Amino acid sequence: MSFTLSEIAAALGGDFTGNGKIVLTGAAEPQDAGPNELALAMDPKYADGIAAGQARAALLWEGADWQALGLEGAICMTRGKAAMPLLTRALDPGLGIEPGIHPSAVVDDSAEIGEGAAIGPLVVIGKDVKIGARAQIGAHASVGYGTVIGDDLTLHPGARIAHLCTIGDRFTAQSNSVLGGDGFSFVTLDKESAVESLRGNMAEGERADTVEGSAHWARVHSLGGVVVGDDVELGASSTIDRGTIRATQIGSGTKIDCQVQVGHNAIVGEHVMMCGNVGVSGSAKIGNRVVLGGKVGVSDNIFIGDDVIAGGGTNIYTNVPAGRAVLGSPAVKIETEMAIRRELRRLPRLADTLRELQKTVSKLVDKD
Amino acid sequence: MSFTLSEIAAALGGDFTGNGKIVLTGAAEPQDAGPNELALAMDPKYADGIAAGQARAALLWEGADWQALGLEGAICMTRGKAAMPLLTRALDPGLGIEPGIHPSAVVDDSAEIGEGAAIGPLVVIGKDVKIGARAQIGAHASVGYGTVIGDDLTLHPGARIAHLCTIGDRFTAQSNSVLGGDGFSFVTLDKESAVESLRGNMAEGERADTVEGSAHWARVHSLGGVVVGDDVELGASSTIDRGTIRATQIGSGTKIDCQVQVGHNAIVGEHVMMCGNVGVSGSAKIGNRVVLGGKVGVSDNIFIGDDVIAGGGTNIYTNVPAGRAVLGSPAVKIETEMAIRRELRRLPRLADTLRELQKTVSKLVDKD
Amino acid sequence: MSFTLSEIAAALGGDFTGNGKIVLTGAAEPQDAGPNELALAMDPKYADGIAAGQARAALLWEGADWQALGLEGAICMTRGKAAMPLLTRALDPGLGIEPGIHPSAVVDDSAEIGEGAAIGPLVVIGKDVKIGARAQIGAHASVGYGTVIGDDLTLHPGARIAHLCTIGDRFTAQSNSVLGGDGFSFVTLDKESAVESLRGNMAEGERADTVEGSAHWARVHSLGGVVVGDDVELGASSTIDRGTIRATQIGSGTKIDCQVQVGHNAIVGEHVMMCGNVGVSGSAKIGNRVVLGGKVGVSDNIFIGDDVIAGGGTNIYTNVPAGRAVLGSPAVKIETEMAIRRELRRLPRLADTLRELQKTVSKLVDKD
């Protein structure tokens, strides 16, 4: 795959200067760029890198003097970072799946697959599955019966879409991700479990004095599937459980990183971003444009308002109102947590001070 | 799949009132229920939902007036939640695997598979594997050589059972879960590693003044397998490592959610519940009926007593006696953690108060 | 597989005493050992275990009196633990993959595979892949196009190596691990996202007063692969993302446990150890011989120096200098965190003391 500098400029909706016919086979960081790689140097701090590398062409910051940098051609953009999606999409060689259905794939006769599909080796597509146009399905991926998926699907090798789910356009699932596994839902048949009674008591600010042995767990089957909007991405090894009675929901534009778990019945809004190792418990409701940093945990049955941002490692146990930025375990407003952390570091000294003060006051009282 | 209301009542061990011949094809939340779906309304708060939906039949709370709700028939139960396992099992359409062995599956000639099995496409079953009756094995699942599994096995697509493991009846593994991977066990060949010496010093309340560079890690192979009791469930993408010399053990009735890791040599008791993203380190011992909330971490080589409950996000570094409810990082009694959290939020103010008080006392001392 | 005691002694580079011809088929903990299993008793505390079991031969501590223990033969070693890698490697029956390429595997004609390979059923090897000698590749594993791997590769069932990655010798990937998935990299096209502006403000110690709704996320494709050194191990369900422009890097000798996530562009040094559930964010740089305990989180774009040790559950938000041992959330020096934890437990009492003291001082002031 190769492009000329002028072709890349056109793809980015920008202009090139200098020699537009330089042939480029990829992009690279400035210092690593070879003569046929576009150096990505969208900030003046990369000027030295260009000198160190072998680049003849670069994507530069607005107003850069490409000739002084020793280049033969360049593209200058106001907000270079914004060019990255277009640029990297143009240069991405993709999953390399051959067009058509690989002879080793097991595709049920009743499945309807749109035109332009590339279905790799040993893929399994179940009964009554419907997949839109231009699907790219990597080796060993599987789609369970009755699932309906829109156009421009990308499943990386080993991705698992369970039965009876509904997914919009441009869905991407990374390798070994799982959409539609059974929810983790168990009840005790004969009496309330220790957890149920503890939770009941905690709500009133107390705990059970004696934690009785809980009885055997009986499985509640998951009859709801998962309903996913458009433009959703699911990271490698991430898991979205199906709902119990109604579907678990993931809104359009939501992006989910690797190692993330979303529990059964959760309702996740649009354009949400969940970073790696996030855990969202069952029946949690997450608003639009929420950002959950790495390792954030969300308790079950709580509500996270629109535009909430939770910093990495935050544990959210209770509802969070819209627009709030939270941090810590338990989650509090970010400025509160920052103040707590400042004092925590001084806590041993503070305790010493208090003990000293106690002695001083004690002497004063004695004298008094 | 469809049932009459009277059939469902019989399955639940309850009685129906009204028209027992209403045909039902599924269940739904009251407001979403269509005319052929059983509305699940086990609490009076759902009364409005029934009015809003199109349900003709419902599972209602004890003593509900089904006729006043506009229904044609109903099942009333004292503890409706307890009906969910039976009801959802009856309505679950299952994994949809065809009976018999799919021609694309690779099943070793020496494997013994019980009657009534449904083995899906591209499954791999190794040498000398024994699987009991009525197994349901989804696409791309695999079972390693010499593993012995009881009756009523369910493996979702892509589940991995390694070689030489022993598993009881009614085992369920969700998609892409892994049972029997190698333990994370490495030693340094020439001298103690920095971690080993640090740990030695920490036990005495100190740390190594200088952390020496640790030598190369040499792999200890995992010769023990995993021994699993009856009625165990393993969530999507969860991993249970095999033991080093003896087997890692998972007791009967234990339920494990998604994204959970259980390290090598761990001994997990019966009817334990581990929620999403839990990590149990190697050689930890966990008692019966323990409940670990989401994201709980358990250090290696420690002991968690029977009936312990750990709230979400708790990190357990040391032994926990039986019956205790713990929370926090490090884990303490739940009421201690609640008190700490209350004061933590006030900590910046408390520090200010102390500094003010210090000034006041200082003045008093000066005057004195 | 069986060995004589003298053969095992030779493999361990040690000497045997007594009957070297005892035939052994495995190893076991002393109390569980059968007559043909080598009892592992490298410490005097195991003496009782030997008496309780049926072992005829044992690996014993230096200077042990094997005859008094009732054994017929023994191997005594100064640092028995160091014998474990050799011993367990000798006794490991392995993955049981037949030599050659299983007829059901889909191996591209252009792939070059070294001699002595054992490639299991339903494996997929893509175009232009190069794999060195003696590879062991389990069922359902896959290697994407253009990836180059050294000698002595071991892929457990379902392991996924993506396209265009470079891996050294003796790489082991456990089941369902993923190397080379796309990075989690999204930008907003029209304006700065709420996260970007919040982060900008946090750097100055403040936060945005109003968190504006962020725009839609546009995907930055990952053009860099992953470059992995020699002797690296990747645990079950763990995920290493590919880089954006240059490769994500994992240094030689680094060992990664299960459920670990390493983000795009991260640079991980040599002989690093990452325990279960660790999350390393994108573009983090981790030095040599670093040890990250279970559930440790590392923020993006930070630097962890050589020989750093982070205790379990630690969240690292900022750079850590070489040689430091850290703990807590946020990570601080281990002795600081220990002091904080000691005082935290007393915090409610401390707060009460302060309030009492305040009253006392108030009275003194009134009197004054």
Side-chain angles (χ1 to χ4, degrees):
Chain A
M1 205 174 45
S2 67
F3 302 88
T4 62
L5 182 63
S6 65
E7 283 169 344
I8 291 176
L12 298 182
D15 292 318
F16 70 91
T17 48
N19 178 5
K21 291 186 182 156
I22 299 171
V23 173
L24 299 162
T25 58
E29 300 197 344
Q31 71 284 3
D32 299 331
N36 292 315
E37 289 179 310
L38 181 70
L40 301 180
M42 287 89 89
D43 190 284
K45 70 181 171 187
Y46 294 118
D48 290 349
I50 292 175
Q54 304 179 314
R56 295 185 294 148
L59 182 63
L60 296 175
W61 59 98
E62 180 73 16
D65 182 349
W66 60 276
Q67 283 165 310
L69 290 164
L71 297 167
E72 298 171 25
I75 303 168
C76 296
M77 299 195 78
T78 323
R79 196 177 163 234
K81 203 175 166 188
M84 287 295 284
L86 288 165
L87 177 69
T88 56
R89 190 170 63 189
L91 296 174
D92 190 347
L95 288 173
I97 309 163
E98 298 288 327
I101 298 178
H102 194 279
S104 67
V106 180
V107 179
D108 195 274
D109 289 342
S110 61
E112 294 175 23
I113 296 179
E115 56 183 20
I119 297 185
L122 303 173
V123 164
V124 173
I125 309 281
K127 238 179 219 174
D128 301 324
V129 166
K130 285 181 191 156
I131 297 176
R134 296 172 300 278
Q136 298 266 333
I137 305 186
H140 300 114
S142 61
V143 182
Y145 69 84
T147 284
V148 177
I149 308 178
D151 292 338
D152 296 298
L153 168 70
T154 304
L155 297 184
H156 287 244
R160 313 257 157 240
I161 312 298
H163 54 283
L164 296 174
C165 293
T166 306
I167 299 175
D169 293 335
R170 293 172 300 282
F171 178 69
T172 296
Q174 299 288 331
S175 277
N176 288 353
S177 56
V178 179
L179 188 129
D182 288 341
F184 192 64
S185 179
F186 297 89
V187 297
T188 52
L189 285 179
D190 41 357
K191 52 170 178 166
E192 279 197 356
S193 73
V195 173
E196 283 168 351
S197 61
L198 178 67
R199 174 168 291 186
N201 286 315
M202 276 179 70
E204 296 154 17
E206 290 181 41
R207 66 172 280 268
D209 278 345
T210 57
V211 176
E212 292 175 293
S214 53
H216 296 201
W217 302 107
R219 189 178 205 274
V220 176
H221 288 243
S222 298
L223 307 180
V226 183
V227 172
V228 178
D230 295 329
D231 298 296
V232 170
E233 178 146 351
L234 184 60
S237 269
S238 285
T239 51
I240 313 283
D241 282 355
R242 62 201 300 116
T244 306
I245 300 300
R246 59 163 182 74
T248 300
Q249 294 169 44
I250 309 290
S252 287
T254 286
K255 314 296 184 187
I256 298 175
D257 197 357
C258 302
Q259 306 279 356
V260 170
Q261 150 71 355
V262 177
H264 62 283
N265 301 339
I267 298 180
V268 177
E270 301 191 343
H271 308 298
V272 170
M273 180 155 281
M274 296 189 195
C275 299
N277 303 76
V278 159
V280 174
S281 302
S283 300
K285 199 173 166 195
I286 294 180
N288 297 319
R289 298 171 304 278
V290 167
V291 177
L292 303 180
K295 290 185 72 190
V296 166
V298 177
S299 284
D300 57 294
N301 288 288
I302 66 171
F303 176 79
I304 312 285
D306 290 346
D307 301 300
V308 164
I309 297 177
T314 295
N315 287 321
I316 306 179
Y317 296 95
T318 53
N319 294 346
V320 180
R324 183 164 291 181
V326 295
L327 187 66
S329 179
V332 292
K333 283 186 194 173
I334 202 168
E335 61 268 29
T336 307
E337 178 68 11
M338 287 309 203
I340 290 171
R341 290 182 178 187
R342 249 190 318 272
E343 296 300 344
L344 256 183
R345 222 163 291 194
R346 301 175 192 152
L347 181 59
R349 244 183 309 147
L350 187 142
D352 289 343
T353 303
L354 179 62
R355 283 184 281 265
E356 281 305 308
L357 201 60
Q358 216 177 357
K359 281 183 212 162
T360 309
V361 171
S362 186
K363 279 181 202 162
L364 286 171
V365 169
D366 287 352
K367 278 188 183 171
D368 193 68
Chain B
M1 206 176 44
S2 68
F3 301 88
T4 62
L5 182 63
S6 67
E7 283 169 343
I8 291 176
L12 298 182
D15 291 319
F16 69 93
T17 48
N19 178 5
K21 292 185 181 156
I22 300 170
V23 173
L24 299 163
T25 57
E29 300 197 344
Q31 72 283 4
D32 299 331
N36 292 315
E37 289 180 309
L38 181 70
L40 300 181
M42 287 90 91
D43 190 284
K45 70 180 172 187
Y46 294 119
D48 290 350
I50 293 176
Q54 303 180 315
R56 295 185 295 146
L59 182 62
L60 296 175
W61 61 96
E62 180 73 15
D65 183 348
W66 60 276
Q67 282 166 312
L69 291 164
L71 297 167
E72 297 172 26
I75 303 168
C76 297
M77 299 196 77
T78 324
R79 194 176 162 234
K81 203 175 166 186
M84 288 295 284
L86 287 163
L87 178 68
T88 56
R89 190 169 64 188
L91 296 174
D92 189 348
L95 288 173
I97 309 162
E98 298 289 326
I101 298 177
H102 194 279
S104 66
V106 179
V107 179
D108 195 274
D109 288 343
S110 62
E112 294 176 23
I113 297 179
E115 57 183 18
I119 297 185
L122 303 173
V123 165
V124 173
I125 309 281
K127 238 179 220 175
D128 301 325
V129 166
K130 286 181 191 159
I131 297 176
R134 295 173 300 280
Q136 299 265 331
I137 304 185
H140 300 113
S142 61
V143 181
Y145 69 84
T147 284
V148 177
I149 307 179
D151 292 337
D152 298 298
L153 167 70
T154 303
L155 297 185
H156 288 244
R160 313 257 157 239
I161 311 298
H163 55 284
L164 296 174
C165 293
T166 306
I167 299 175
D169 293 334
R170 293 173 299 283
F171 178 69
T172 296
Q174 299 288 331
S175 277
N176 288 353
S177 56
V178 179
L179 188 129
D182 287 341
F184 192 63
S185 180
F186 297 89
V187 297
T188 52
L189 285 180
D190 42 356
K191 51 170 178 167
E192 279 199 357
S193 73
V195 172
E196 283 169 351
S197 61
L198 178 67
R199 176 169 288 187
N201 287 315
M202 277 180 70
E204 296 155 17
E206 291 179 42
R207 66 173 280 269
D209 278 345
T210 58
V211 175
E212 293 175 291
S214 52
H216 296 202
W217 302 106
R219 189 177 205 273
V220 176
H221 287 243
S222 298
L223 308 180
V226 183
V227 172
V228 178
D230 295 328
D231 299 296
V232 170
E233 179 147 349
L234 184 60
S237 267
S238 285
T239 50
I240 313 282
D241 282 354
R242 61 199 303 114
T244 306
I245 300 301
R246 58 162 183 74
T248 300
Q249 293 169 43
I250 309 290
S252 288
T254 286
K255 313 296 184 187
I256 299 174
D257 198 356
C258 302
Q259 307 278 356
V260 170
Q261 151 71 355
V262 177
H264 62 284
N265 300 341
I267 298 180
V268 177
E270 301 192 342
H271 309 298
V272 170
M273 180 155 281
M274 296 189 195
C275 298
N277 304 76
V278 159
V280 174
S281 302
S283 301
K285 198 173 167 196
I286 295 181
N288 297 318
R289 297 172 304 279
V290 167
V291 177
L292 303 180
K295 291 184 70 191
V296 166
V298 177
S299 284
D300 57 294
N301 287 288
I302 65 171
F303 177 78
I304 312 285
D306 290 344
D307 301 300
V308 164
I309 297 178
T314 295
N315 287 321
I316 307 179
Y317 296 94
T318 52
N319 293 347
V320 181
R324 184 164 289 182
V326 295
L327 188 66
S329 179
V332 291
K333 283 186 194 174
I334 202 167
E335 61 269 28
T336 306
E337 178 68 13
M338 287 311 203
I340 290 171
R341 290 182 177 187
R342 249 192 316 273
E343 297 300 344
L344 257 183
R345 220 162 293 193
R346 300 176 194 152
L347 181 60
R349 242 183 309 147
L350 186 141
D352 287 344
T353 303
L354 180 61
R355 284 185 279 263
E356 282 305 308
L357 201 61
Q358 217 177 358
K359 282 184 211 160
T360 310
V361 171
S362 187
K363 280 180 201 162
L364 285 171
V365 169
D366 287 351
K367 278 189 184 172
D368 193 67
Chain C
M1 206 173 46
S2 69
F3 300 87
T4 62
L5 181 62
S6 65
E7 283 169 344
I8 292 176
L12 298 182
D15 291 319
F16 70 92
T17 48
N19 179 6
K21 292 185 180 157
I22 299 171
V23 173
L24 299 162
T25 58
E29 299 196 346
Q31 72 283 2
D32 299 332
N36 292 316
E37 289 179 310
L38 181 71
L40 300 180
M42 285 90 89
D43 190 284
K45 69 181 174 188
Y46 294 119
D48 290 351
I50 293 175
Q54 303 179 314
R56 295 184 294 148
L59 182 63
L60 296 175
W61 60 97
E62 180 73 14
D65 182 349
W66 59 277
Q67 283 165 311
L69 291 162
L71 297 167
E72 298 171 25
I75 303 168
C76 296
M77 299 196 77
T78 323
R79 199 178 159 231
K81 205 176 166 186
M84 288 295 284
L86 288 164
L87 178 69
T88 56
R89 189 169 64 188
L91 295 174
D92 189 346
L95 288 173
I97 309 163
E98 298 289 327
I101 298 178
H102 194 277
S104 67
V106 180
V107 179
D108 195 274
D109 288 343
S110 62
E112 294 175 25
I113 296 180
E115 57 184 19
I119 297 186
L122 303 173
V123 164
V124 173
I125 309 281
K127 236 178 221 174
D128 300 323
V129 166
K130 286 180 192 158
I131 297 177
R134 296 172 300 279
Q136 298 266 332
I137 304 186
H140 299 115
S142 60
V143 181
Y145 69 84
T147 284
V148 177
I149 308 179
D151 292 336
D152 298 299
L153 167 70
T154 304
L155 297 184
H156 287 244
R160 314 256 156 241
I161 311 299
H163 55 284
L164 296 174
C165 293
T166 305
I167 299 175
D169 293 334
R170 293 172 298 283
F171 178 69
T172 297
Q174 299 288 329
S175 277
N176 289 353
S177 55
V178 179
L179 188 129
D182 288 341
F184 193 64
S185 180
F186 298 89
V187 297
T188 53
L189 286 179
D190 42 356
K191 52 170 177 168
E192 279 199 356
S193 72
V195 172
E196 284 169 351
S197 61
L198 177 67
R199 175 168 290 186
N201 286 314
M202 275 179 70
E204 296 154 17
E206 289 180 43
R207 66 172 280 268
D209 279 344
T210 58
V211 176
E212 292 175 293
S214 54
H216 296 202
W217 301 107
R219 188 178 206 273
V220 176
H221 287 243
S222 298
L223 307 180
V226 183
V227 171
V228 177
D230 295 328
D231 299 297
V232 170
E233 178 147 351
L234 185 59
S237 268
S238 285
T239 51
I240 312 283
D241 282 355
R242 62 199 301 114
T244 306
I245 300 300
R246 60 161 182 74
T248 300
Q249 294 169 42
I250 309 290
S252 288
T254 286
K255 313 297 185 187
I256 298 175
D257 198 358
C258 302
Q259 308 278 354
V260 170
Q261 151 71 356
V262 177
H264 62 283
N265 301 339
I267 299 179
V268 177
E270 301 192 343
H271 309 299
V272 170
M273 180 156 279
M274 297 189 194
C275 299
N277 303 78
V278 159
V280 174
S281 302
S283 300
K285 197 172 167 196
I286 294 181
N288 297 318
R289 298 173 302 279
V290 167
V291 177
L292 304 179
K295 292 184 70 190
V296 165
V298 176
S299 284
D300 57 293
N301 289 287
I302 65 170
F303 177 78
I304 312 285
D306 290 345
D307 301 301
V308 163
I309 297 177
T314 294
N315 286 320
I316 306 178
Y317 296 94
T318 53
N319 294 347
V320 181
R324 184 164 290 181
V326 295
L327 187 66
S329 179
V332 291
K333 282 187 195 173
I334 203 168
E335 62 269 29
T336 306
E337 177 68 11
M338 288 308 202
I340 290 171
R341 290 182 178 187
R342 250 191 316 274
E343 295 300 344
L344 257 184
R345 222 162 293 194
R346 301 174 194 153
L347 181 60
R349 243 183 309 147
L350 186 143
D352 288 344
T353 304
L354 179 62
R355 284 184 278 265
E356 281 305 307
L357 201 61
Q358 215 177 359
K359 281 184 212 162
T360 310
V361 171
S362 186
K363 278 181 202 163
L364 286 171
V365 169
D366 288 351
K367 278 188 184 171
D368 194 65

